[in-house]
Amino acid sequence: GFSDDAKPSGGGRVFAPYAIFKGKAALTVAPVLPVFAKIDSGNVCIERRGTVMMTFMPAIGQRKYDWAKKQMFALSATEVGSVISMGSKDSSEFFHDPSMKSSNSGQVTKSLSIKPYEDSKSQDGKGGYYFSLSVQNKILKTNHYLVVPVTIAEFAVMKTAFSFALPYIMGWDRLIVQGENAPQSFST
Amino acid sequence: GFSDDAKPSGGGRVFAPYAIFKGKAALTVAPVLPVFAKIDSGNVCIERRGTVMMTFMPAIGQRKYDWAKKQMFALSATEVGSVISMGSKDSSEFFHDPSMKSSNSGQVTKSLSIKPYEDSKSQDGKGGYYFSLSVQNKILKTNHYLVVPVTIAEFAVMKTAFSFALPYIMGWDRLIVQGENAPQSFST
Amino acid sequence: GFSDDAKPSGGGRVFAPYAIFKGKAALTVAPVLPVFAKIDSGNVCIERRGTVMMTFMPAIGQRKYDWAKKQMFALSATEVGSVISMGSKDSSEFFHDPSMKSSNSGQVTKSLSIKPYEDSKSQDGKGGYYFSLSVQNKILKTNHYLVVPVTIAEFAVMKTAFSFALPYIMGWDRLIVQGENAPQSFST
Amino acid sequence: GFSDDAKPSGGGRVFAPYAIFKGKAALTVAPVLPVFAKIDSGNVCIERRGTVMMTFMPAIGQRKYDWAKKQMFALSATEVGSVISMGSKDSSEFFHDPSMKSSNSGQVTKSLSIKPYEDSKSQDGKGGYYFSLSVQNKILKTNHYLVVPVTIAEFAVMKTAFSFALPYIMGWDRLIVQGENAPQSFST
């Protein structure tokens, strides 16, 4: 896993996000692996699902982006499936409440929208998708809105990379690896 | 493999099913790896094919499901191929007799049906597929029927995860791994 | 690799072909990995390309097939690409001369044909593809012809398994593995 | 990585390009892995992006090609995404300046064009794509132009191999491997 609690001591992490830098904002995407827990039986259970983390940053100059003002949205496996299955005319919209089911429910709401665009004014003249993240904080009374136009080629990279990552964020690679390393599964 | 006989002693298994929880029932899917056997020559043959196990559980309360009343259906490689190749309007139906070719043949019959739905009353307003499992036991005179509506996004996760898992349940990953670990295949 | 010369001593091979058993003949498919050679510089070059081996066997009784009368056809990477890219109405035909460029050229000719069928008399009522292998030996004056009807689901398994196997028969997995095991590629 | 500086000492590299040999020129494609750098924190960052290297060589006789006159074009992840997402009627064109952002900017310009062809005179009677590389050097006053016709089957091999390679040239496999080798990500 990537989280601070999972790897508290210095180093060893790998950073290789796919980054899309545009005029008003940048978007990076990277998988976050699930966290597994050993249970009493000695078996291993998935404890926290993996995600594909989308990080938006506003531009503060030419090809300079403000990391401190980043806004994040973690796509679940099913939301990744939704993106992968989008046709060229399809839109998607996802809503998250980071404090869902807690007493802070509803204080922060996030929505990620993916909408196709297609006109001669678009960046590559061929169309693509607007990725828009809206984050509303009712306590701080802030409302952040960031938009990154994603070309068809960049969206194809995302779809291929998301399809690659999906079994890993689901933890299915562990099912497979256990089989390969399990000589006891041979009967003689 | 996952089966009890393959890993009899305590622990070491990994559990990471993809779970779909709906109002009347839940559905989990997970790959089951093939079992290989060493044969006299020292070579290794596939002994039991892998499957993708589909487990249905009836709801017994809000987001509570009765594991004891689960019903299972093991998709073969070819049935997985059938699901992967389904178009948006296609249906599939599979029939299993767990005791086929034994004296108990016909006592228990199972059928899994996958049918598209598309109407404004559907869970996400965009359609999806009904996964229905029917299990008839002529000895016990029972007839279980469980239905889980699967959204297009959830179905996309299944297709991607099934495509990932297919070569592993076929055992083709072993063919590949043997090559990589085989320095004797280098000629000098 | 799989070949006799590559692994002469007893055992260690894995057999996991995907098998399609039909009334008049059976067809099994399995990847054959490339053979690499170390060259003077210490580098490694691909010496013999990998293939996907298709093996046809005639039926000699109910679900009994004559292994001794098997006929084989080794699909190259490009031919695998041809199969993967086939649409539902497309046909393919491949011609091989196992002795091409030798003095025996033309003595044995093989052709593999893949043609769609679609009628109510087909095995599953939904259509599929006829895989037909013709092997003509001008010296022995023999002419073998074997046909296996392949359902759409079975063809989907082939396409997915072929797509999985393609990078391995091309040897691209070696390029990738070398990177992961190469700490010297880190600059500090 | 593949580059000379990354692996200076003798040997250990693997060569397995996918090669397309045609009458006037040949084209080989192979992935080039990213280079990672350890940073102060002990973490690892991607330092140089991976690419898919396309190498064109002019023919100098029947199935003989002049390696010394090769011209190369390194596809970025996003350009690979562009190729993967091409429909059967689509064209693509990419422009590179190897000295971009340096004082030599504009001295050498490269463009790679991929255009569909479809006529009865084409090599396989079924159409395919022209891959054309143009390299203009204003200092040397040279202008190289190389064209290789790529069949639909060969293009399918490229798409499948590019899809396989894309997560690796992005470095996403490292994110995944780190998870699998990280026992500290287990909470107990």
Side-chain angles (χ1 to χ4, degrees):
Chain A
F2 274 4
S3 66
D4 285 324
D5 54 316
K7 291 199 177 183
S9 57
R13 293 194 221 167
V14 178
F15 294 96
Y18 178 60
I20 297 170
F21 300 108
K22 295 294 163 73
K24 295 188 179 168
L27 166 63
T28 68
V29 296
V32 178
L33 294 176
V35 176
F36 290 86
K38 273 189 183 133
I39 51 179
D40 286 348
S41 61
N43 292 325
V44 171
C45 253
I46 202 161
E47 192 180 67
R48 194 172 57 203
R49 302 263 150 206
T51 62
V52 170
M53 186 60 76
M54 316 205 68
T55 304
F56 289 74
M57 286 164 289
I60 50 170
Q62 197 166 348
R63 287 187 74 80
K64 284 185 183 173
Y65 301 92
D66 190 350
W67 177 251
K69 290 195 178 154
K70 69 179 183 290
Q71 298 288 343
M72 303 172 88
F73 196 92
L75 292 174
S76 70
T78 300
E79 288 163 343
V80 168
S82 199
V83 174
I84 290 172
S85 61
M86 280 176 69
S88 60
K89 306 285 183 195
D90 292 344
S91 296
S92 285
E93 190 152 17
F94 309 115
F95 299 92
H96 284 187
D97 176 347
S99 307
M100 191 173 62
K101 291 178 186 168
S102 81
S103 59
N104 298 322
S105 172
Q107 291 182 355
V108 176
T109 54
K110 299 182 175 189
S111 83
L112 176 71
S113 153
I114 307 175
K115 278 188 190 157
Y117 64 79
E118 184 176 5
D119 63 32
S120 57
K121 294 169 200 160
S122 73
Q123 286 201 320
D124 60 353
K126 288 195 300 186
Y129 297 85
Y130 287 120
F131 279 63
S132 315
L133 178 61
S134 172
V135 179
Q136 194 173 20
N137 189 316
K138 287 181 181 166
I139 307 298
L140 302 177
K141 289 180 182 160
T142 57
N143 206 332
H144 294 282
Y145 184 70
L146 293 158
V147 184
V148 174
V150 171
T151 67
I152 287 171
E154 289 160 348
F155 194 59
V157 172
M158 279 198 209
K159 280 185 166 190
T160 301
F162 285 15
S163 298
F164 171 79
L166 184 54
Y168 296 92
I169 68 173
M170 294 168 69
W172 279 34
D173 60 306
R174 299 268 180 147
L175 305 177
I176 269 49
V177 167
Q178 93 180 322
E180 288 178 352
N181 297 340
Q184 67 273 37
S185 72
F186 286 82
S187 58
T188 50
Chain B
F2 274 4
S3 66
D4 285 323
D5 53 318
K7 292 201 176 180
S9 57
R13 292 194 222 166
V14 177
F15 294 96
Y18 178 58
I20 297 170
F21 299 108
K22 295 294 164 73
K24 294 187 179 168
L27 166 62
T28 69
V29 297
V32 177
L33 294 176
V35 176
F36 290 85
K38 273 189 184 133
I39 52 179
D40 286 349
S41 61
N43 291 326
V44 171
C45 253
I46 202 162
E47 193 181 65
R48 193 173 58 203
R49 302 265 150 204
T51 62
V52 170
M53 186 61 75
M54 316 204 69
T55 305
F56 289 74
M57 287 165 290
I60 50 170
Q62 197 167 348
R63 287 186 74 82
K64 285 186 182 172
Y65 302 90
D66 191 349
W67 177 252
K69 289 195 178 155
K70 69 179 183 292
Q71 298 288 341
M72 303 172 88
F73 196 92
L75 291 174
S76 70
T78 300
E79 288 163 343
V80 168
S82 198
V83 174
I84 289 171
S85 61
M86 281 176 70
S88 59
K89 306 286 183 194
D90 292 344
S91 296
S92 284
E93 190 153 17
F94 309 116
F95 299 93
H96 284 186
D97 176 346
S99 306
M100 192 174 61
K101 291 177 187 170
S102 81
S103 59
N104 298 323
S105 171
Q107 291 182 355
V108 176
T109 54
K110 298 182 175 188
S111 84
L112 177 71
S113 155
I114 307 175
K115 278 188 191 156
Y117 64 79
E118 185 176 4
D119 62 33
S120 57
K121 295 170 200 160
S122 73
Q123 285 202 320
D124 61 351
K126 288 193 300 185
Y129 296 84
Y130 287 120
F131 279 63
S132 315
L133 178 61
S134 172
V135 180
Q136 193 172 24
N137 189 317
K138 288 180 181 166
I139 306 298
L140 301 177
K141 290 180 181 156
T142 57
N143 206 331
H144 294 283
Y145 184 71
L146 292 158
V147 184
V148 174
V150 171
T151 67
I152 287 171
E154 290 160 347
F155 194 58
V157 172
M158 280 198 207
K159 280 186 164 188
T160 301
F162 285 15
S163 298
F164 170 80
L166 185 54
Y168 296 92
I169 70 173
M170 294 169 70
W172 277 35
D173 60 307
R174 299 267 181 149
L175 304 176
I176 269 52
V177 167
Q178 91 179 322
E180 288 177 356
N181 297 339
Q184 67 271 39
S185 73
F186 287 83
S187 59
T188 50
Chain C
F2 273 4
S3 67
D4 286 325
D5 54 316
K7 292 201 177 180
S9 57
R13 293 195 221 168
V14 177
F15 295 96
Y18 177 60
I20 298 170
F21 299 108
K22 295 293 164 73
K24 293 186 178 169
L27 167 62
T28 69
V29 298
V32 178
L33 294 177
V35 176
F36 289 85
K38 274 191 182 129
I39 52 179
D40 286 349
S41 60
N43 290 326
V44 171
C45 253
I46 203 162
E47 192 179 66
R48 193 173 59 205
R49 301 265 150 205
T51 62
V52 170
M53 186 60 75
M54 317 205 67
T55 305
F56 289 73
M57 287 165 288
I60 51 170
Q62 197 167 346
R63 287 187 73 81
K64 286 185 181 171
Y65 302 90
D66 190 349
W67 178 251
K69 289 194 177 154
K70 69 178 183 290
Q71 298 288 343
M72 301 171 89
F73 196 92
L75 292 174
S76 70
T78 300
E79 288 163 343
V80 167
S82 199
V83 173
I84 288 171
S85 61
M86 280 176 70
S88 60
K89 307 286 182 194
D90 291 345
S91 296
S92 284
E93 191 154 16
F94 309 115
F95 300 92
H96 285 187
D97 176 346
S99 307
M100 192 173 61
K101 292 177 185 169
S102 81
S103 60
N104 297 323
S105 171
Q107 290 181 356
V108 175
T109 53
K110 298 180 175 189
S111 84
L112 176 72
S113 155
I114 305 175
K115 277 186 191 158
Y117 64 79
E118 186 177 3
D119 61 33
S120 57
K121 294 170 199 160
S122 73
Q123 283 202 319
D124 61 353
K126 289 193 299 186
Y129 297 84
Y130 287 120
F131 279 64
S132 315
L133 178 61
S134 171
V135 180
Q136 194 173 24
N137 189 316
K138 287 180 180 165
I139 307 299
L140 301 176
K141 290 178 182 159
T142 56
N143 206 332
H144 295 283
Y145 184 70
L146 291 158
V147 184
V148 173
V150 171
T151 66
I152 287 171
E154 290 160 348
F155 194 59
V157 172
M158 280 197 207
K159 280 186 165 187
T160 301
F162 285 15
S163 298
F164 170 80
L166 184 54
Y168 296 92
I169 69 174
M170 294 168 71
W172 277 34
D173 59 307
R174 299 269 180 147
L175 305 177
I176 268 52
V177 168
Q178 92 181 323
E180 289 178 353
N181 297 340
Q184 68 270 39
S185 73
F186 286 82
S187 58
T188 50
Chain D
F2 275 2
S3 67
D4 285 323
D5 54 316
K7 293 199 177 181
S9 57
R13 292 195 222 167
V14 178
F15 295 96
Y18 178 60
I20 298 170
F21 299 108
K22 295 294 163 73
K24 295 188 178 167
L27 167 62
T28 69
V29 297
V32 178
L33 294 178
V35 176
F36 289 85
K38 274 189 183 130
I39 52 179
D40 287 348
S41 61
N43 291 327
V44 172
C45 252
I46 202 162
E47 191 180 66
R48 194 171 59 203
R49 303 263 148 206
T51 63
V52 169
M53 186 60 76
M54 317 205 68
T55 305
F56 290 74
M57 287 164 288
I60 51 170
Q62 197 166 349
R63 290 186 71 80
K64 285 184 182 173
Y65 302 90
D66 190 350
W67 178 250
K69 290 195 177 156
K70 68 178 183 291
Q71 299 287 344
M72 302 171 87
F73 196 92
L75 292 174
S76 70
T78 300
E79 288 163 344
V80 168
S82 200
V83 174
I84 289 172
S85 62
M86 281 176 68
S88 59
K89 306 285 183 195
D90 292 344
S91 295
S92 284
E93 190 152 18
F94 308 114
F95 299 92
H96 285 187
D97 176 347
S99 307
M100 191 173 61
K101 292 179 186 167
S102 82
S103 60
N104 297 324
S105 171
Q107 291 182 356
V108 176
T109 53
K110 299 181 174 189
S111 84
L112 176 71
S113 154
I114 306 175
K115 278 186 191 159
Y117 64 79
E118 185 177 4
D119 63 32
S120 58
K121 294 169 199 159
S122 72
Q123 285 201 319
D124 59 353
K126 288 195 300 186
Y129 297 84
Y130 287 120
F131 278 64
S132 314
L133 178 61
S134 172
V135 180
Q136 194 173 20
N137 189 316
K138 288 179 180 166
I139 307 297
L140 302 176
K141 290 179 182 161
T142 56
N143 206 332
H144 294 284
Y145 184 71
L146 291 158
V147 185
V148 174
V150 171
T151 66
I152 287 171
E154 290 160 347
F155 194 59
V157 172
M158 279 198 209
K159 280 185 166 188
T160 301
F162 285 15
S163 298
F164 171 79
L166 185 53
Y168 296 93
I169 69 173
M170 295 168 69
W172 278 33
D173 59 307
R174 298 268 181 150
L175 304 178
I176 268 50
V177 167
Q178 93 181 320
E180 289 178 353
N181 297 340
Q184 67 271 39
S185 73
F186 286 83
S187 58
T188 50

